[in-house]
Structure formats: structure tokens, C-alpha cells
Amino acid sequence: MSMFENPGYRWRETYLVMFHSQHRPKAKKVEQVLRRLDSRYQLSNVRSTEDGDFESLTLISPDDYAALDVCFVEGEDVAEQALELQKEIKPDDLPRSARDKLKQLPQFDARFDVLHFEQIAFEDDEEDEMLDPGSLLLVLSALAKLTKGVALDPQSGAVLED
């Protein structure tokens, strides 16, 4: 469930970072990694378990007119989804390095859902879209590296490169 409920933003898409649950990071480490990406990022709603394991956070990137809501999910459903994604994504459409990442999916039983939001400048004004995917791509790459996982766009079947 999204923790981000700011009416000045609208949801655009959801990306995934799939990984093995043994690589679940501590909330402080996630926060540290994301703050290093860009000092202008605003982090809020950082939540963790009693043991300090990461649960969720919201990141706002004012320069990109974007916000991200990152939520941890684990369990059997994640493992099943990983298998389904591996079947759906056509390896022939991917570069070799992405194919190698795709082969890893069956071993994953955890993921980050990364919900991408766009700041709304003017209601119903689609032509003046200012959303920049820069923060999204940086965060996905950083989270994939941190968890030794794979970042992907389940809607398009794209495996994101580092």
C-alpha cells in the first residue's frame, strides 16, 4: 500500500526491484544510499521493522517533478511473480547483460515496489509534462545494487541496466 498521498502528485507507473530476502537492507542503509544519490532528494515516511529492516519510504525529487514510494514485499507471491515475469519477458529482446539478470529471477523471494508519481503542475494539462525519469532510474539502480537484485519494468518487460 502506498504511503504517498499527496494530492499534488499522480501515480504514473510501478517498477520492481526483485531480490533474495537474505539481502533485505536495513532502513538506515537504504536512507544513506538514497541521500548520497542527490542531496536535493527529500526523504520522508521512512519505516522499518523493530529489527531495523527496511519497510518503506517516500522520496520527493523536486527538480524532476517526481516522487517515489518504495515498499518492501516478500513471500510466496513474490516468488511466483518472479517466475511469471521470467516467462513473459522475451530474452531475445534484451541485451546480453539483461538476459543474465533475467535468469536470476527464479531465485528471488522479495522485492521493492517502486511507485513513480508525477507532480501535477496544471490540472488536465498533459502537454506541459515536466516529469523527468532521472531520479527513478538512479533509485532503481541503487536499490538493485544494494540488494544484489534486478530492477525491471513489469509493464514493458524491460530489465533495467546499471
Side-chain angles (χ1 to χ4, degrees):
M1 176 172 195
S2 174
M3 306 307 294
F4 191 72
E5 298 179 3
N6 185 327
Y9 290 81
R10 70 172 164 225
W11 174 81
R12 292 294 301 246
E13 63 257 322
T14 300
Y15 289 78
L16 306 175
V17 176
M18 309 288 289
F19 58 96
H20 195 283
S21 58
Q22 73 184 21
H23 297 294
R24 181 182 185 179
K26 298 292 185 187
K28 288 187 188 274
K29 184 65 176 177
V30 173
E31 194 171 354
Q32 179 184 45
V33 165
L34 296 181
R35 287 192 188 281
R36 268 196 230 137
L37 292 176
D38 190 323
S39 62
R40 295 169 294 205
Y41 289 168
Q42 300 166 12
L43 298 178
S44 63
N45 300 325
V46 180
R47 299 176 194 257
S48 63
T49 65
E50 287 182 17
D51 295 331
D53 292 330
F54 178 81
E55 283 289 328
S56 63
L57 66 74
T58 298
L59 180 149
I60 296 176
S61 177
D63 292 348
D64 294 337
Y65 299 93
L68 304 173
D69 199 33
V70 182
C71 305
F72 175 77
V73 182
E74 72 177 326
E76 209 171 286
D77 290 343
V78 175
E80 289 174 14
Q81 182 187 29
L83 288 171
E84 285 177 33
L85 286 168
Q86 187 183 39
K87 289 176 188 173
E88 290 173 10
I89 298 172
K90 299 189 184 340
D92 295 339
D93 296 341
L94 301 173
R96 183 168 198 77
S97 59
R99 283 185 229 156
D100 292 341
K101 289 181 180 185
L102 185 63
K103 289 177 187 174
Q104 297 176 26
L105 287 181
Q107 67 183 320
F108 297 142
D109 61 351
R111 74 171 188 251
F112 290 138
D113 290 344
V114 181
L115 288 75
H116 190 208
F117 294 89
E118 172 185 20
Q119 185 175 6
I120 302 169
F122 303 100
E123 199 65 40
D124 298 325
D125 190 359
E126 296 283 332
E127 291 182 33
D128 285 340
E129 189 172 300
M130 297 179 286
L131 180 69
D132 182 338
S135 57
L136 171 69
L137 297 173
L138 284 173
V139 168
L140 288 170
S141 177
L143 292 175
K145 285 178 187 171
L146 180 63
T147 59
K148 300 180 175 111
V150 175
L152 52 97
D153 175 359
Q155 290 85 15
S156 70
V159 175
L160 304 174
E161 300 285 333
D162 293 337

PDB file of all heavy atoms in Angstrom, residues 113-138:
ATOM      1  N   ASP A 113       8.543  -2.565  -4.396  1.00  0.00           N
ATOM      2  CA  ASP A 113       7.641  -1.916  -5.335  1.00  0.00           C
ATOM      3  C   ASP A 113       8.035  -0.448  -5.329  1.00  0.00           C
ATOM      4  O   ASP A 113       8.073   0.185  -4.269  1.00  0.00           O
ATOM      5  CB  ASP A 113       6.184  -2.043  -4.894  1.00  0.00           C
ATOM      6  CG  ASP A 113       5.654  -3.456  -5.007  1.00  0.00           C
ATOM      7  OD1 ASP A 113       6.281  -4.292  -5.691  1.00  0.00           O
ATOM      8  OD2 ASP A 113       4.592  -3.737  -4.410  1.00  0.00           O
ATOM      9  N   VAL A 114       8.348   0.094  -6.491  1.00  0.00           N
ATOM     10  CA  VAL A 114       8.750   1.491  -6.606  1.00  0.00           C
ATOM     11  C   VAL A 114       7.677   2.199  -7.422  1.00  0.00           C
ATOM     12  O   VAL A 114       7.630   2.092  -8.645  1.00  0.00           O
ATOM     13  CB  VAL A 114      10.145   1.631  -7.254  1.00  0.00           C
ATOM     14  CG1 VAL A 114      10.553   3.097  -7.328  1.00  0.00           C
ATOM     15  CG2 VAL A 114      11.182   0.815  -6.481  1.00  0.00           C
ATOM     16  N   LEU A 115       6.794   2.892  -6.711  1.00  0.00           N
ATOM     17  CA  LEU A 115       5.698   3.608  -7.351  1.00  0.00           C
ATOM     18  C   LEU A 115       6.193   4.985  -7.753  1.00  0.00           C
ATOM     19  O   LEU A 115       6.737   5.722  -6.926  1.00  0.00           O
ATOM     20  CB  LEU A 115       4.510   3.726  -6.400  1.00  0.00           C
ATOM     21  CG  LEU A 115       3.744   2.434  -6.133  1.00  0.00           C
ATOM     22  CD1 LEU A 115       4.502   1.508  -5.209  1.00  0.00           C
ATOM     23  CD2 LEU A 115       2.388   2.744  -5.557  1.00  0.00           C
ATOM     24  N   HIS A 116       6.017   5.312  -9.013  1.00  0.00           N
ATOM     25  CA  HIS A 116       6.527   6.554  -9.589  1.00  0.00           C
ATOM     26  C   HIS A 116       5.365   7.531  -9.735  1.00  0.00           C
ATOM     27  O   HIS A 116       4.354   7.215 -10.369  1.00  0.00           O
ATOM     28  CB  HIS A 116       7.133   6.237 -10.957  1.00  0.00           C
ATOM     29  CG  HIS A 116       7.899   7.348 -11.574  1.00  0.00           C
ATOM     30  ND1 HIS A 116       8.026   7.486 -12.935  1.00  0.00           N
ATOM     31  CD2 HIS A 116       8.596   8.383 -11.042  1.00  0.00           C
ATOM     32  CE1 HIS A 116       8.772   8.540 -13.202  1.00  0.00           C
ATOM     33  NE2 HIS A 116       9.121   9.101 -12.074  1.00  0.00           N
ATOM     34  N   PHE A 117       5.515   8.714  -9.147  1.00  0.00           N
ATOM     35  CA  PHE A 117       4.486   9.736  -9.188  1.00  0.00           C
ATOM     36  C   PHE A 117       5.000  10.976  -9.910  1.00  0.00           C
ATOM     37  O   PHE A 117       6.176  11.313  -9.807  1.00  0.00           O
ATOM     38  CB  PHE A 117       4.076  10.154  -7.767  1.00  0.00           C
ATOM     39  CG  PHE A 117       3.404   9.069  -6.990  1.00  0.00           C
ATOM     40  CD1 PHE A 117       4.149   8.189  -6.228  1.00  0.00           C
ATOM     41  CD2 PHE A 117       2.029   8.938  -7.002  1.00  0.00           C
ATOM     42  CE1 PHE A 117       3.548   7.186  -5.498  1.00  0.00           C
ATOM     43  CE2 PHE A 117       1.409   7.933  -6.271  1.00  0.00           C
ATOM     44  CZ  PHE A 117       2.171   7.055  -5.518  1.00  0.00           C
ATOM     45  N   GLU A 118       4.092  11.641 -10.591  1.00  0.00           N
ATOM     46  CA  GLU A 118       4.406  12.888 -11.298  1.00  0.00           C
ATOM     47  C   GLU A 118       3.763  14.056 -10.571  1.00  0.00           C
ATOM     48  O   GLU A 118       2.589  13.988 -10.188  1.00  0.00           O
ATOM     49  CB  GLU A 118       3.852  12.815 -12.717  1.00  0.00           C
ATOM     50  CG  GLU A 118       3.952  14.107 -13.481  1.00  0.00           C
ATOM     51  CD  GLU A 118       3.289  14.031 -14.859  1.00  0.00           C
ATOM     52  OE1 GLU A 118       2.451  13.152 -15.078  1.00  0.00           O
ATOM     53  OE2 GLU A 118       3.629  14.884 -15.684  1.00  0.00           O
ATOM     54  N   GLN A 119       4.524  15.129 -10.393  1.00  0.00           N
ATOM     55  CA  GLN A 119       3.953  16.332  -9.803  1.00  0.00           C
ATOM     56  C   GLN A 119       3.018  16.969 -10.816  1.00  0.00           C
ATOM     57  O   GLN A 119       3.357  17.108 -12.006  1.00  0.00           O
ATOM     58  CB  GLN A 119       5.053  17.317  -9.421  1.00  0.00           C
ATOM     59  CG  GLN A 119       4.526  18.526  -8.692  1.00  0.00           C
ATOM     60  CD  GLN A 119       5.651  19.428  -8.216  1.00  0.00           C
ATOM     61  OE1 GLN A 119       6.823  19.218  -8.524  1.00  0.00           O
ATOM     62  NE2 GLN A 119       5.301  20.445  -7.457  1.00  0.00           N
ATOM     63  N   ILE A 120       1.851  17.344 -10.364  1.00  0.00           N
ATOM     64  CA  ILE A 120       0.853  17.937 -11.249  1.00  0.00           C
ATOM     65  C   ILE A 120       1.023  19.446 -11.218  1.00  0.00           C
ATOM     66  O   ILE A 120       0.845  20.087 -10.177  1.00  0.00           O
ATOM     67  CB  ILE A 120      -0.575  17.558 -10.803  1.00  0.00           C
ATOM     68  CG1 ILE A 120      -0.738  16.043 -10.786  1.00  0.00           C
ATOM     69  CG2 ILE A 120      -1.602  18.204 -11.722  1.00  0.00           C
ATOM     70  CD1 ILE A 120      -1.997  15.575 -10.117  1.00  0.00           C
ATOM     71  N   ALA A 121       1.381  20.015 -12.379  1.00  0.00           N
ATOM     72  CA  ALA A 121       1.565  21.461 -12.467  1.00  0.00           C
ATOM     73  C   ALA A 121       0.222  22.153 -12.680  1.00  0.00           C
ATOM     74  O   ALA A 121      -0.153  23.060 -11.967  1.00  0.00           O
ATOM     75  CB  ALA A 121       2.527  21.800 -13.595  1.00  0.00           C
ATOM     76  N   PHE A 122      -0.491  21.692 -13.694  1.00  0.00           N
ATOM     77  CA  PHE A 122      -1.796  22.244 -14.008  1.00  0.00           C
ATOM     78  C   PHE A 122      -2.735  21.085 -14.270  1.00  0.00           C
ATOM     79  O   PHE A 122      -2.410  20.188 -15.044  1.00  0.00           O
ATOM     80  CB  PHE A 122      -1.736  23.144 -15.253  1.00  0.00           C
ATOM     81  CG  PHE A 122      -0.749  24.264 -15.098  1.00  0.00           C
ATOM     82  CD1 PHE A 122       0.518  24.183 -15.671  1.00  0.00           C
ATOM     83  CD2 PHE A 122      -1.067  25.393 -14.367  1.00  0.00           C
ATOM     84  CE1 PHE A 122       1.432  25.203 -15.529  1.00  0.00           C
ATOM     85  CE2 PHE A 122      -0.146  26.413 -14.221  1.00  0.00           C
ATOM     86  CZ  PHE A 122       1.096  26.327 -14.801  1.00  0.00           C
ATOM     87  N   GLU A 123      -3.863  21.111 -13.645  1.00  0.00           N
ATOM     88  CA  GLU A 123      -4.834  20.027 -13.804  1.00  0.00           C
ATOM     89  C   GLU A 123      -5.210  19.854 -15.271  1.00  0.00           C
ATOM     90  O   GLU A 123      -5.483  20.823 -15.972  1.00  0.00           O
ATOM     91  CB  GLU A 123      -6.092  20.342 -12.976  1.00  0.00           C
ATOM     92  CG  GLU A 123      -6.951  19.151 -12.692  1.00  0.00           C
ATOM     93  CD  GLU A 123      -6.259  18.115 -11.814  1.00  0.00           C
ATOM     94  OE1 GLU A 123      -5.559  18.500 -10.878  1.00  0.00           O
ATOM     95  OE2 GLU A 123      -6.426  16.925 -12.093  1.00  0.00           O
ATOM     96  N   ASP A 124      -5.185  18.614 -15.724  1.00  0.00           N
ATOM     97  CA  ASP A 124      -5.584  18.230 -17.088  1.00  0.00           C
ATOM     98  C   ASP A 124      -4.746  18.883 -18.186  1.00  0.00           C
ATOM     99  O   ASP A 124      -5.206  19.067 -19.295  1.00  0.00           O
ATOM    100  CB  ASP A 124      -7.072  18.531 -17.345  1.00  0.00           C
ATOM    101  CG  ASP A 124      -7.964  17.732 -16.421  1.00  0.00           C
ATOM    102  OD1 ASP A 124      -7.595  16.576 -16.102  1.00  0.00           O
ATOM    103  OD2 ASP A 124      -9.019  18.253 -16.021  1.00  0.00           O
ATOM    104  N   ASP A 125      -3.519  19.243 -17.900  1.00  0.00           N
ATOM    105  CA  ASP A 125      -2.656  19.843 -18.915  1.00  0.00           C
ATOM    106  C   ASP A 125      -1.550  18.849 -19.258  1.00  0.00           C
ATOM    107  O   ASP A 125      -0.447  18.943 -18.770  1.00  0.00           O
ATOM    108  CB  ASP A 125      -2.070  21.161 -18.412  1.00  0.00           C
ATOM    109  CG  ASP A 125      -1.376  21.933 -19.512  1.00  0.00           C
ATOM    110  OD1 ASP A 125      -1.322  21.435 -20.665  1.00  0.00           O
ATOM    111  OD2 ASP A 125      -0.874  23.035 -19.243  1.00  0.00           O
ATOM    112  N   GLU A 126      -1.866  17.890 -20.114  1.00  0.00           N
ATOM    113  CA  GLU A 126      -0.935  16.819 -20.470  1.00  0.00           C
ATOM    114  C   GLU A 126       0.237  17.316 -21.317  1.00  0.00           C
ATOM    115  O   GLU A 126       1.290  16.723 -21.325  1.00  0.00           O
ATOM    116  CB  GLU A 126      -1.668  15.712 -21.232  1.00  0.00           C
ATOM    117  CG  GLU A 126      -2.738  15.009 -20.426  1.00  0.00           C
ATOM    118  CD  GLU A 126      -2.168  14.025 -19.435  1.00  0.00           C
ATOM    119  OE1 GLU A 126      -1.072  13.491 -19.678  1.00  0.00           O
ATOM    120  OE2 GLU A 126      -2.806  13.787 -18.401  1.00  0.00           O
ATOM    121  N   GLU A 127       0.061  18.388 -22.037  1.00  0.00           N
ATOM    122  CA  GLU A 127       1.092  18.856 -22.952  1.00  0.00           C
ATOM    123  C   GLU A 127       2.290  19.460 -22.239  1.00  0.00           C
ATOM    124  O   GLU A 127       3.386  19.476 -22.771  1.00  0.00           O
ATOM    125  CB  GLU A 127       0.502  19.865 -23.946  1.00  0.00           C
ATOM    126  CG  GLU A 127      -0.461  19.198 -24.923  1.00  0.00           C
ATOM    127  CD  GLU A 127      -1.002  20.193 -25.932  1.00  0.00           C
ATOM    128  OE1 GLU A 127      -0.271  21.129 -26.298  1.00  0.00           O
ATOM    129  OE2 GLU A 127      -2.142  20.023 -26.350  1.00  0.00           O
ATOM    130  N   ASP A 128       2.096  19.983 -21.039  1.00  0.00           N
ATOM    131  CA  ASP A 128       3.182  20.615 -20.308  1.00  0.00           C
ATOM    132  C   ASP A 128       3.837  19.648 -19.330  1.00  0.00           C
ATOM    133  O   ASP A 128       4.241  20.024 -18.238  1.00  0.00           O
ATOM    134  CB  ASP A 128       2.673  21.846 -19.551  1.00  0.00           C
ATOM    135  CG  ASP A 128       2.416  23.019 -20.467  1.00  0.00           C
ATOM    136  OD1 ASP A 128       2.972  23.020 -21.581  1.00  0.00           O
ATOM    137  OD2 ASP A 128       1.671  23.921 -20.078  1.00  0.00           O
ATOM    138  N   GLU A 129       3.975  18.398 -19.727  1.00  0.00           N
ATOM    139  CA  GLU A 129       4.564  17.390 -18.855  1.00  0.00           C
ATOM    140  C   GLU A 129       6.025  17.726 -18.573  1.00  0.00           C
ATOM    141  O   GLU A 129       6.819  17.923 -19.477  1.00  0.00           O
ATOM    142  CB  GLU A 129       4.456  16.023 -19.525  1.00  0.00           C
ATOM    143  CG  GLU A 129       4.845  14.905 -18.616  1.00  0.00           C
ATOM    144  CD  GLU A 129       4.547  13.571 -19.246  1.00  0.00           C
ATOM    145  OE1 GLU A 129       3.386  13.300 -19.550  1.00  0.00           O
ATOM    146  OE2 GLU A 129       5.507  12.806 -19.408  1.00  0.00           O
ATOM    147  N   MET A 130       6.364  17.794 -17.285  1.00  0.00           N
ATOM    148  CA  MET A 130       7.714  18.176 -16.889  1.00  0.00           C
ATOM    149  C   MET A 130       8.437  17.019 -16.200  1.00  0.00           C
ATOM    150  O   MET A 130       9.581  17.168 -15.796  1.00  0.00           O
ATOM    151  CB  MET A 130       7.649  19.383 -15.952  1.00  0.00           C
ATOM    152  CG  MET A 130       7.067  20.611 -16.623  1.00  0.00           C
ATOM    153  SD  MET A 130       6.962  22.030 -15.516  1.00  0.00           S
ATOM    154  CE  MET A 130       5.593  21.574 -14.489  1.00  0.00           C
ATOM    155  N   LEU A 131       7.790  15.907 -16.061  1.00  0.00           N
ATOM    156  CA  LEU A 131       8.359  14.763 -15.358  1.00  0.00           C
ATOM    157  C   LEU A 131       9.658  14.300 -16.007  1.00  0.00           C
ATOM    158  O   LEU A 131       9.733  14.090 -17.205  1.00  0.00           O
ATOM    159  CB  LEU A 131       7.350  13.610 -15.373  1.00  0.00           C
ATOM    160  CG  LEU A 131       7.770  12.317 -14.692  1.00  0.00           C
ATOM    161  CD1 LEU A 131       7.852  12.520 -13.191  1.00  0.00           C
ATOM    162  CD2 LEU A 131       6.778  11.220 -15.013  1.00  0.00           C
ATOM    163  N   ASP A 132      10.691  14.162 -15.176  1.00  0.00           N
ATOM    164  CA  ASP A 132      11.996  13.671 -15.625  1.00  0.00           C
ATOM    165  C   ASP A 132      12.230  12.334 -14.929  1.00  0.00           C
ATOM    166  O   ASP A 132      12.164  12.265 -13.705  1.00  0.00           O
ATOM    167  CB  ASP A 132      13.072  14.684 -15.238  1.00  0.00           C
ATOM    168  CG  ASP A 132      14.459  14.287 -15.694  1.00  0.00           C
ATOM    169  OD1 ASP A 132      14.699  13.088 -15.940  1.00  0.00           O
ATOM    170  OD2 ASP A 132      15.312  15.169 -15.788  1.00  0.00           O
ATOM    171  N   PRO A 133      12.523  11.269 -15.668  1.00  0.00           N
ATOM    172  CA  PRO A 133      12.715   9.960 -15.040  1.00  0.00           C
ATOM    173  C   PRO A 133      14.078   9.764 -14.388  1.00  0.00           C
ATOM    174  O   PRO A 133      14.390   8.681 -13.904  1.00  0.00           O
ATOM    175  CB  PRO A 133      12.541   8.992 -16.215  1.00  0.00           C
ATOM    176  CG  PRO A 133      13.017   9.764 -17.393  1.00  0.00           C
ATOM    177  CD  PRO A 133      12.590  11.194 -17.128  1.00  0.00           C
ATOM    178  N   GLY A 134      14.884  10.810 -14.329  1.00  0.00           N
ATOM    179  CA  GLY A 134      16.240  10.688 -13.800  1.00  0.00           C
ATOM    180  C   GLY A 134      16.297  10.111 -12.399  1.00  0.00           C
ATOM    181  O   GLY A 134      17.072   9.189 -12.114  1.00  0.00           O
ATOM    182  N   SER A 135      15.494  10.639 -11.486  1.00  0.00           N
ATOM    183  CA  SER A 135      15.529  10.149 -10.107  1.00  0.00           C
ATOM    184  C   SER A 135      15.056   8.699 -10.045  1.00  0.00           C
ATOM    185  O   SER A 135      15.627   7.892  -9.301  1.00  0.00           O
ATOM    186  CB  SER A 135      14.685  11.027  -9.192  1.00  0.00           C
ATOM    187  OG  SER A 135      13.349  11.106  -9.653  1.00  0.00           O
ATOM    188  N   LEU A 136      14.052   8.363 -10.815  1.00  0.00           N
ATOM    189  CA  LEU A 136      13.558   6.979 -10.841  1.00  0.00           C
ATOM    190  C   LEU A 136      14.667   6.016 -11.251  1.00  0.00           C
ATOM    191  O   LEU A 136      14.913   5.007 -10.580  1.00  0.00           O
ATOM    192  CB  LEU A 136      12.375   6.846 -11.801  1.00  0.00           C
ATOM    193  CG  LEU A 136      11.906   5.423 -12.084  1.00  0.00           C
ATOM    194  CD1 LEU A 136      11.261   4.817 -10.851  1.00  0.00           C
ATOM    195  CD2 LEU A 136      10.961   5.403 -13.274  1.00  0.00           C
ATOM    196  N   LEU A 137      15.360   6.325 -12.324  1.00  0.00           N
ATOM    197  CA  LEU A 137      16.411   5.437 -12.821  1.00  0.00           C
ATOM    198  C   LEU A 137      17.574   5.331 -11.837  1.00  0.00           C
ATOM    199  O   LEU A 137      18.108   4.239 -11.624  1.00  0.00           O
ATOM    200  CB  LEU A 137      16.892   5.913 -14.190  1.00  0.00           C
ATOM    201  CG  LEU A 137      15.819   5.881 -15.292  1.00  0.00           C
ATOM    202  CD1 LEU A 137      16.337   6.528 -16.558  1.00  0.00           C
ATOM    203  CD2 LEU A 137      15.342   4.471 -15.539  1.00  0.00           C
ATOM    204  N   LEU A 138      17.951   6.446 -11.216  1.00  0.00           N
ATOM    205  CA  LEU A 138      19.033   6.421 -10.224  1.00  0.00           C
ATOM    206  C   LEU A 138      18.651   5.565  -9.014  1.00  0.00           C
ATOM    207  O   LEU A 138      19.442   4.759  -8.531  1.00  0.00           O
ATOM    208  CB  LEU A 138      19.367   7.835  -9.756  1.00  0.00           C
ATOM    209  CG  LEU A 138      20.174   8.702 -10.703  1.00  0.00           C
ATOM    210  CD1 LEU A 138      20.256  10.132 -10.155  1.00  0.00           C
ATOM    211  CD2 LEU A 138      21.563   8.126 -10.893  1.00  0.00           C
TER     212      LEU A 138
END
